[in-house]
Amino acid sequence: MAARWTNRPDGSNWGDFGPDDQRGRLNLLTPERVVLAAKEVREGRRFCLSLPLDLPGGRNLNPRRFPPRRFATERGGLSNYNFPLGDENPELTDVVSDDAVLLCLQYSSQWDSFAHVGSMFDANGDGIPEIVYYNGWTGLEHLVAAGPRNDAADPLMRFEGVHAKALGIENMARAGVQGRGVMIDLHRHLGDERTVVDFAILDRIMKADGITVEEGDMVCLHTGFGKMVTEKAGDPDPEVLQGGFPALDGGDPDLQEWIRGSGLSVLIADNYAVEHIPGRDRRNGPKRAMMPLHELCLFKLGVHLGELWYLTELAEWLHAHNRFRFLLTAPPLHLPGVVGSPANGIATV
């Protein structure tokens, strides 16, 4: 038992991968399973599974996240962009451009770290719920919040200095995210309408398409949302953003039990949040999770969530070739201490 906790949440796997584990079910991506995943490569064809980082566009999907802002670096008080080095030394003919970006790490195609969503939970047994994340890492001790608000700063810089001392995305990066991907094509069966997908619907689709999920598999859900975002080219319909395309019923007990029992290592979708929000948490009592699937995966099981990916071309190719498995390589940025990261997944078939 980890010294950080005496109670562990019902249905969680805290401690199963060790008292100080920060990788969760990425531990199931063993060398043997990567070898099996590599056997899915038969043609050497590759698919980019990420949206451009400036999509979906605007702030209608999540008003707290901004599109990327691009800058030139500074050189002697001037813009270091299209800068002739001859301006500094007449003997030189080089011209250089150097830029920077201010980026919300979960604006576009992304990975959630386990520090992204925790829960108010009495882990230490004192009867008082506290901020806790996967495997008992606490918010008070292990996630450093920002200092005093700086009202004069840029809106994205008012709370500078946050740092996840545990469960940051670097743990995922160091794990080397590569394994066997499994595509479940919800969109081909359900279309563009918002269908809240419980396990009965998911199971029916998987059986119809002959899909099996084994321990360590990296499950991808194609909903069509990513294709819509791409086609709208930065100007999506706000109503469609919030109310279109399938999403999982994260509070369905049968779906939760399938995620728990299947042994999937990560769960990815091309929609926003993977699950329908607000979730339909079935628990009795006054307390509930707005995002029950996030609670299950990130807080209880150590299953990373991938959101807003682009899966349409891969899903169509797999269907045309009567396949559902592929090699998936998808590390996050190796940026220590952050709670999310852009994802630039590559599928190879």
Side-chain angles (χ1 to χ4, degrees):
M1 180 179 294
R4 290 185 309 279
W5 51 271
T6 56
N7 295 330
R8 82 174 190 173
D10 292 340
S12 76
N13 61 5
W14 289 13
D16 288 3
F17 296 114
D20 297 319
D21 177 62
Q22 299 187 52
R23 292 186 177 182
R25 293 217 309 217
L26 287 179
N27 286 290
L28 300 178
L29 293 180
T30 62
E32 294 78 13
R33 290 195 172 103
V34 175
V35 169
L36 286 175
K39 293 180 180 179
E40 298 296 332
V41 179
R42 306 171 194 172
E43 300 191 20
R45 180 167 179 174
R46 300 168 300 271
F47 294 84
C48 175
L49 305 185
S50 68
L51 296 173
L53 288 179
D54 57 358
L55 294 182
R59 297 172 61 185
N60 287 321
L61 189 57
N62 185 327
R64 289 164 293 279
R65 296 173 182 167
F66 296 73
R69 293 164 59 181
R70 292 178 288 272
F71 309 86
T73 58
E74 183 269 343
R75 191 182 193 106
L78 300 173
S79 168
N80 191 27
Y81 208 87
N82 279 336
F83 186 90
L85 295 187
D87 289 357
E88 295 180 335
N89 181 344
E91 297 178 358
L92 301 178
T93 61
D94 316 64
V95 177
V96 298
S97 294
D98 191 25
D99 53 7
V101 64
L102 185 61
L103 181 70
C104 286
L105 296 173
Q106 293 171 274
Y107 180 78
S108 185
S109 299
Q110 65 190 258
W111 281 117
D112 291 347
S113 83
F114 303 148
H116 176 49
V117 173
S119 184
M120 297 299 298
F121 177 73
D122 178 22
N124 59 17
D126 65 359
I128 303 173
E130 57 186 328
I131 298 173
V132 186
Y133 295 85
Y134 168 72
N135 215 21
W137 300 94
T138 66
L140 182 62
E141 182 178 0
H142 300 109
L143 268 74
V144 178
R149 176 172 176 153
N150 180 0
D151 289 324
D154 183 285
L156 275 182
M157 301 179 182
R158 288 176 181 163
F159 303 99
E160 186 175 5
V162 295
H163 181 77
K165 295 192 293 183
L167 302 179
I169 205 71
E170 70 274 15
N171 296 285
M172 191 182 198
R174 291 170 186 160
V177 184
Q178 186 175 58
R180 187 170 67 186
V182 171
M183 181 68 71
I184 303 175
D185 195 343
L186 302 179
H187 183 258
R188 194 165 59 83
H189 290 265
L190 302 174
D192 293 352
E193 299 301 316
R194 171 56 58 96
T195 301
V196 182
V197 179
D198 60 13
F199 178 68
I201 296 173
L202 181 70
D203 187 52
R204 172 172 57 80
I205 290 172
M206 292 175 61
K207 287 177 177 175
D209 291 347
I211 294 170
T212 56
V213 173
E214 299 177 7
E215 186 170 272
D217 284 345
M218 306 167 76
V219 173
C220 297
L221 304 172
H222 175 235
T223 73
F225 188 95
K227 179 185 178 186
M228 177 274 295
V229 166
T230 301
E231 291 174 344
K232 294 299 182 181
D235 188 26
D237 183 334
E239 291 186 5
V240 177
L241 281 177
Q242 302 297 336
F245 300 91
L248 292 184
D249 181 359
D252 175 27
D254 292 335
L255 178 64
Q256 292 198 359
E257 188 55 38
W258 177 77
I259 292 171
R260 186 179 290 109
S262 67
L264 60 83
S265 56
V266 299
L267 184 58
I268 297 158
D270 62 345
N271 65 6
Y272 177 63
V274 184
E275 64 179 313
H276 175 76
I277 298 177
R280 300 188 291 195
D281 195 329
R282 271 59 162 197
R283 287 176 292 192
N284 295 322
K287 300 293 186 180
R288 62 182 178 84
M290 183 181 76
M291 300 180 290
L293 185 69
H294 280 65
E295 179 190 61
L296 174 72
C297 291
L298 300 179
F299 174 63
K300 290 185 177 182
L301 298 181
V303 172
H304 289 281
L305 296 176
E307 304 173 14
L308 282 172
W309 288 34
Y310 179 72
L311 301 176
T312 296
E313 290 183 17
L314 173 62
E316 291 176 348
W317 188 94
L318 290 170
H319 176 65
H321 291 80
N322 196 30
R323 292 176 57 179
F324 62 89
R325 290 172 171 165
F326 53 95
L327 174 66
L328 176 57
T329 305
L333 296 178
H334 196 161
L335 180 57
V338 299
V339 304
S341 168
N344 193 23
I346 300 294
T348 312
V349 295

